[in-house]
Amino acid sequence: MGRREQKNKKKKWPWVFGILGVIVIGLGIYLFTVYTSFTNTLEEIHEPIEREASDKRTTDQEVVLSDQDPFSVLLLGVDEREDDRGRSDTMVVMTINPADQSTKMVSIPRDTYTEIIGRGTTDKINHAYAFGGIEMSMATVENLLDIPIDYVMQVNMEGFQDIVDAVGGVEVNNTLAFDEFAKGTIALDGEEALGYVRMRKQDPEGDFGRQNRQKQVIQGIMKKGASVNSLLNYQDIFTALGDNVRTNMTFDEMMDVQSNYRDAIGTVDQLMVEDGTGETINGIWYYVMDDAELAEIQSTLKAHLNM
């Protein structure tokens, strides 16, 4: 090998290492920016509530996420209004058990006739939020299902479309043609997704059909949110979450869930509320749950929480 060839190779290597160095530094800066934005967003969505733990949990039953204890969470999709607190448009309870590597999920029909805890009245369950906000909703759901509600996550339904747009839209399999939504696989942007999940009057299954559409869009968001394109578009996603999601779960608790409950969250078993009846009481239509079905759901969720 001649001296000139050796000299050329020596000149090339510094350039190669220089390029690799720039790539590594650039990647490091990107990951640091993503991590900083992620932690800032989680801190922004954290909103403490007054109570420290559910009254349905004794001291020896308190949830310790670092010990992988089963826990429950109430998801509230809130229809906010200018002149009042708004209504809980969507109410979903999830119990997560890492030992079983499974999650149970039950959607509560918003017109469910039940006692509103803290108000001393019987009404539609979604009115609990209007009367007493997150904590009255938690207490009322606890009373209905006879289980503790450990955490709550509130999503502003008007901002729901921002989250869909941030992930670049979603695809769903529509089983019922209505309005501008054709039957079959369709792509939805944020505004369309909001209209898709809110329709109820044209659906022969009423609130149950809408619950299925809500689940489809949520699954679509999760699928798109995990894609490479979403990683590149993380800022819009974090902004949409920060503006529209609130939870009493702290940053450290979210990290415990991410690391200790990942497999459980991946397997979701939906418990159906479908055997109840519609009844008109004092001129108002309510959904009255079937006692046997409700008792079975209560028993299933208690067992899943190891209670």
Side-chain angles (χ1 to χ4, degrees):
M1 183 182 294
R3 291 185 177 180
R4 179 171 295 181
E5 188 176 349
Q6 289 179 340
K7 188 175 181 180
N8 287 338
K9 283 193 174 184
K10 288 181 180 180
K11 287 182 179 180
K12 289 178 182 178
W13 280 114
W15 281 102
V16 172
F17 283 119
I19 292 172
L20 289 175
V22 169
I23 293 174
V24 170
I25 293 172
L27 181 60
I29 292 173
Y30 174 76
L31 293 176
F32 176 77
T33 303
V34 171
Y35 176 77
T36 301
S37 297
F38 178 64
T39 55
N40 288 343
T41 298
L42 293 186
E43 290 172 359
E44 183 180 359
I45 70 177
H46 176 234
E47 188 171 281
I49 59 176
E50 289 187 10
R51 76 176 198 182
E52 293 185 2
S54 169
D55 292 337
K56 289 187 175 292
R57 285 197 180 276
T58 60
T59 303
D60 61 340
Q61 292 178 328
E62 290 184 4
V63 173
V64 180
L65 295 179
S66 57
D67 291 344
Q68 297 188 327
D69 291 337
F71 71 94
S72 64
V73 58
L74 170 63
L75 307 179
L76 289 174
V78 176
D79 181 13
E80 295 184 341
R81 306 179 183 186
E82 294 182 1
D83 55 346
D84 63 16
R85 191 195 303 267
R87 300 286 187 275
S88 51
D89 189 65
T90 303
M91 304 184 80
V92 176
V93 172
M94 301 175 71
T95 58
I96 298 93
N97 188 316
D100 290 351
Q101 294 188 354
S102 66
T103 294
K104 305 290 186 186
M105 181 177 75
V106 56
S107 296
I108 303 174
R110 65 178 190 172
D111 294 326
T112 297
Y113 188 65
T114 190
E115 181 182 356
I116 307 299
I117 303 302
R119 188 172 175 85
T121 59
T122 305
D123 206 331
K124 295 184 179 184
I125 195 168
N126 71 321
H127 288 179
Y129 184 86
F131 295 144
I134 285 176
E135 296 202 38
M136 188 171 286
S137 294
M138 294 176 73
T140 298
V141 170
E142 282 185 335
N143 181 68
L144 176 69
L145 299 181
D146 196 26
I147 61 168
I149 297 297
D150 302 306
Y151 297 101
V152 63
M153 183 172 292
Q154 174 186 322
V155 179
N156 173 18
M157 292 303 289
E158 286 294 339
F160 179 73
Q161 63 187 51
D162 296 335
I163 298 174
V164 173
D165 283 333
V167 299
V170 296
E171 279 194 355
V172 297
N173 182 23
N174 185 21
T175 59
L176 174 69
F178 64 95
D179 296 335
E180 73 273 23
F181 303 106
K183 189 175 180 179
T185 301
I186 55 176
L188 306 174
D189 62 19
E191 185 176 0
E192 291 167 340
L194 189 59
Y196 181 74
V197 300
R198 278 186 164 171
M199 192 282 286
R200 182 173 62 153
K201 293 182 179 179
Q202 300 177 57
D203 195 326
E205 295 185 354
D207 208 35
F208 302 106
R210 188 177 64 161
Q211 289 172 17
N212 184 56
R213 288 192 296 276
Q214 290 169 348
K215 181 181 178 182
Q216 287 182 341
V217 173
I218 291 172
Q219 289 176 328
I221 291 173
M222 294 172 65
K223 181 179 179 180
K224 291 292 290 289
S227 69
V228 174
N229 288 338
S230 290
L231 289 175
L232 298 175
N233 196 33
Y234 73 91
Q235 193 63 60
D236 288 344
I237 296 173
F238 289 167
T239 298
L241 292 175
D243 290 343
N244 298 293
V245 177
R246 294 293 178 268
T247 180
N248 65 325
M249 191 174 285
T250 65
F251 173 82
D252 289 340
E253 288 171 330
M254 292 181 208
M255 293 300 97
D256 282 334
V257 171
Q258 193 278 333
S259 59
N260 297 327
Y261 295 78
R262 187 182 309 166
D263 292 338
I265 295 174
T267 303
V268 179
D269 177 23
Q270 186 168 8
L271 308 180
M272 302 302 296
V273 178
E274 55 189 358
D275 293 341
T277 57
E279 295 186 19
T280 300
I281 303 173
N282 296 326
I284 301 175
W285 190 90
Y286 297 94
Y287 180 80
V288 180
M289 281 192 176
D290 177 77
D291 289 340
E293 182 178 64
L294 176 58
E296 184 177 353
I297 290 173
Q298 291 172 338
S299 177
T300 299
L301 295 180
K302 286 178 183 177
H304 203 233
L305 290 171
N306 295 343
M307 301 189 72

